[in-house]
């Protein structure tokens, strides 16, 4: 019997699990992954109600969801597929005895295991790029109003989390590295990535999380995907680049499916 894929999405600072661009909503963060995993015959559970707050608060909500939905009572093995900050929540979850005995794999993509430099950008945007902050506010995203949320995920906070949550023994853990270059980065992330380059000029990443930060335990990749494309949302101007990103997303989901089967063989 194939394992259940437990999908944990990242943080969007709206706390609703949806993909937002200004006033527009493009779907749920889990939608494309659910389609891909179910197409390959996996039972699929997307953790809902994580909201925002500290990692500890989000982890507690995720655990409560899995418990209340009866996921922990089913006899199937569990494999965690986690995007962005969802990977840190996954790390905290598999350390719990009630989950550790059922968990067979933890696979992350676009996760800031080494800290999120983008929080530095957000916390200093008003000072260093006030025009960009004003433009974002006009489009419906108020960075200044979300300072407390970003402060929960500074590199110092995540470094402390990392020390308290080492690689679990006996659990297959893989970081799937995502790196996008040039036109492989969709237009919504171009301005963010340009700001990241002022902090780490030569760094590669997915337009949001640097590759060096994505590395934890065993690594595979890279996959030519930006942070949105890792969820299956492609905001590339060129149809050719959108098609390339779609192929890379298919390769990413197929790799996770293969790893899930290997982990439970």
């Amino acid at each position: 019997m194939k394992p259940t894929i437990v999908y944990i999405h990242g943080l969007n600072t709206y706390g609703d699990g949806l993909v937002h661009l200004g006033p527009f909503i493009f779907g749920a963060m889990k939608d494309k992954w659910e389609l891909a995993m179910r197409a390959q015959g996996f039972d699929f559970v997307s953790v809902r109600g994580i909201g925002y707050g500290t990692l500890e608060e989000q982890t507690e909500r995720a655990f409560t969801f899995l418990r209340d939905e009866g996921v922990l009572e089913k006899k199937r093995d569990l494999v965690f597929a986690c995007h962005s900050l969802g990977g840190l929540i996954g790390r905290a979850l598999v350390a719990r005895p009630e989950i550790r005995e059922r968990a067979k794999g933890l696979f992350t993509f676009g996760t800031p295991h080494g800290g999120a430099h983008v929080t530095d950008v957000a916390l200093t945007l008003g000072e260093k790029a006030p025009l960009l902050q004003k433009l974002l506010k006009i489009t419906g995203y108020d960075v200044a109003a979300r300072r407390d949320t970003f402060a929960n995920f500074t590199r110092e906070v995540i470094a402390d989390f990392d020390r308290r949550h080492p690689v679990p023994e006996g659990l297959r853990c893989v970081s799937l590295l995502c790196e996008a270059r040039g036109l492989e980065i969709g237009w919504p992330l171009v301005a963010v990535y340009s700001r990241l380059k002022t902090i780490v000029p030569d760094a590669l990443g997915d337009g949001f999380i640097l590759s060096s930060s994505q590395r934890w335990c065993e690594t595979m990749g890279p996959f030519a995907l930006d942070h949105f494309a890792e969820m299956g949302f492609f905001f590339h101007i060129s149809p050719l680049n959108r098609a390339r990103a779609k192929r890379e997303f298919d390769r990413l989901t197929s790799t996770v499916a293969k790893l899930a089967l290997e982990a439970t063989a």
Side-chain angles (χ1 to χ4, degrees), residues 216-234:
W216 178 71
C217 62
E218 178 185 353
T219 60
M220 296 181 67
F223 298 82
L225 295 167
D226 71 22
H227 207 68
F228 284 110
E230 292 158 13
M231 296 181 284
F233 292 88
F234 312 111

Side-chain angles (χ1 to χ4, degrees), residues 169-191:
E169 290 187 16
L171 183 69
R172 182 77 186 277
C173 299
V174 180
S175 302
L176 300 147
L177 303 183
C178 295
E179 295 177 353
R181 305 165 186 255
L183 295 178
E184 292 171 348
I185 299 176
W187 64 265
L189 290 173
V190 171

Side-chain angles (χ1 to χ4, degrees), residues 13 116-130 132-133 136 141-157 192 195-196 199 208:
T13 73
H117 292 76
V118 72
T119 59
D120 296 342
V121 173
L123 292 172
T124 60
L125 197 62
E127 173 189 349
K128 296 185 177 180
L132 177 57
Q133 179 164 294
L136 288 170
Y141 194 85
D142 191 340
V143 176
R146 292 171 167 82
R147 284 185 60 86
D148 289 345
T149 297
F150 289 117
N152 288 321
F153 305 103
T154 63
R155 282 180 285 166
E156 293 76 16
V157 171
V192 175
R195 295 303 306 170
L196 280 174
I199 299 174
F208 203 69

Side-chain angles (χ1 to χ4, degrees), residues 6-152:
V6 179
Y7 180 79
I8 307 179
H9 64 72
L11 174 72
N12 68 356
T13 73
Y14 291 88
D16 59 9
L18 301 176
V19 176
H20 293 254
L21 282 181
F24 303 104
I25 296 174
F26 292 85
M29 293 177 169
K30 57 90 177 175
D31 284 351
K32 310 300 183 181
W33 272 88
E34 182 169 12
L35 286 173
M37 294 294 100
R38 290 197 184 279
Q40 299 189 60
F42 289 94
D43 183 35
F44 182 92
V45 174
S46 176
V47 176
R48 301 189 302 273
I50 295 174
Y52 47 84
T54 66
L55 281 168
E56 290 74 16
E57 290 168 341
Q58 290 181 299
T59 299
E60 190 60 37
R61 294 187 198 111
F63 176 79
T64 298
F65 171 86
L66 293 173
R67 183 195 63 202
D68 292 351
E69 291 293 314
V71 176
L72 303 181
E73 297 176 3
K74 296 180 180 179
K75 296 187 181 299
R76 286 192 179 188
D77 294 329
L78 303 178
V79 167
F80 289 79
C82 309
H83 179 236
S84 194
L85 282 167
L88 302 182
I89 296 171
R91 285 174 59 178
L93 283 174
V94 298
R96 296 196 172 205
E98 305 94 326
I99 293 178
R100 179 62 189 90
E101 62 184 17
R102 299 277 308 286
K104 301 300 179 183
L106 173 62
F107 311 127
T108 69
F109 40 99
T111 293
H113 296 288
H117 292 76
V118 72
T119 59
D120 296 342
V121 173
L123 292 172
T124 60
L125 197 62
E127 173 189 349
K128 296 185 177 180
L131 178 58
L132 177 57
Q133 179 164 294
K134 289 179 181 178
L135 289 173
L136 288 170
K137 187 173 182 179
I138 290 171
T139 62
Y141 194 85
D142 191 340
V143 176
R146 292 171 167 82
R147 284 185 60 86
D148 289 345
T149 297
F150 289 117
N152 288 321

Side-chain angles (χ1 to χ4, degrees), residues 191-217:
V192 175
Y193 199 43
S194 67
R195 295 303 306 170
L196 280 174
K197 287 286 189 179
T198 66
I199 299 174
V200 190
D202 299 323
L204 292 173
D206 64 1
F208 203 69
I209 304 299
L210 300 182
S211 303
S212 57
S213 183
Q214 296 177 40
R215 293 180 178 276
W216 178 71
C217 62

